[in-house]
Amino acid sequence: MDLPGHGTSDRPEHFGYTLDEHAHAVAVALDQAAVAGAELVAHSMGGAVAVVLAHRRPDLVSRLVLTEANLDAFPPSTAASSGIAAYEEDEFVEERYARVLDAVGPLWAATMRLADPRALHRSAVGLRRGSDPVMRTMLEGLTIDRVYLQGEHSGELQGREDLEAAGVRVVTVPGAGHNVMFDNPDAFAAAVVGRG
């Protein structure tokens, strides 16, 4: 599903776009569809939202497959969210959004064009702020089946040993970077169906 402000979802002006608010929106959608025990497959910021949802509403989630999910607040300055959050909201919306689209390349620009610039900025600020407790702590505390896909080109996953000790299956996907599903779709599909 598209999170609020992204893709074809509504773009509410007064929505804060924090991780908790995004997780609540997903919970409302699942509740409205009468879905419980869902298997969530989520990428990047969506992974952080899925972790928050699973922590706050464990009745809704039976399994997590996270791909390059943000687990910590204040990601490195090289992360897209940190770059976006470095600007004031109006400056990003009025001046920087178009420049960012030009700079990120065609793959990222194709998806970012579908996001409302204000929602994109607020989401980046919320992602940078993280959750309380932080997403990594929430993920480690869950008891459901959890898989974390890390692209080989992204480098070593910080805190991998602690995640594995908490029962999270961490899979390094060869030949992949942040967009594992595009870079190595077969490995991604295998992990989603539980064979990876």
Side-chain angles (χ1 to χ4, degrees):
M1 70 179 277
D2 292 329
L3 294 173
H6 297 76
T8 59
S9 287
D10 292 343
R11 290 149 160 67
E13 183 180 342
H14 299 293
F15 193 72
Y17 297 94
T18 65
L19 293 176
D20 279 319
E21 288 171 302
H22 279 306
H24 178 72
V26 175
V28 168
L30 291 173
D31 285 339
Q32 288 293 314
V35 173
E39 295 186 24
L40 299 183
V41 179
H43 174 247
S44 198
M45 182 185 83
V49 171
V51 169
V52 172
L53 174 65
H55 175 78
R56 304 262 194 262
R57 289 287 309 274
D59 59 306
L60 295 178
V61 183
S62 65
R63 180 173 184 251
L64 288 175
V65 178
L66 306 172
T67 304
E68 295 260 331
N70 298 81
L71 299 180
D72 301 302
F74 301 101
S77 60
T78 55
S81 57
S82 291
I84 292 169
Y87 299 104
E88 293 297 322
E89 183 174 308
D90 287 338
E91 178 186 6
F92 178 77
V93 170
E94 295 165 12
E95 301 171 29
R96 300 292 178 167
Y97 176 68
R99 292 182 198 170
V100 169
L101 286 178
D102 288 340
V104 296
L107 182 63
W108 279 106
T111 58
M112 286 178 67
R113 272 192 191 91
L114 299 177
D116 175 75
R118 198 163 302 280
L120 188 62
H121 184 271
R122 290 181 188 174
S123 293
V125 169
L127 184 59
R128 189 170 186 274
R129 185 178 305 124
S131 60
D132 184 22
V134 74
M135 299 81 73
R136 181 180 299 273
T137 301
M138 289 180 183
L139 180 61
E140 290 174 350
L142 295 172
T143 57
I144 58 175
D145 182 37
R146 296 152 293 157
V147 179
Y148 188 101
L149 302 178
Q150 173 78 3
E152 173 187 32
H153 300 311
S154 296
E156 186 57 35
L157 175 63
Q158 179 184 357
R160 178 183 184 135
E161 297 80 19
D162 291 337
L163 289 173
E164 290 175 329
V168 178
R169 188 162 48 94
V170 178
V171 178
T172 300
V173 180
H178 186 66
N179 292 307
V180 172
M181 67 290 291
F182 297 130
D183 297 339
N184 192 334
D186 291 338
F188 176 76
V192 168
V193 298
R195 293 190 316 250

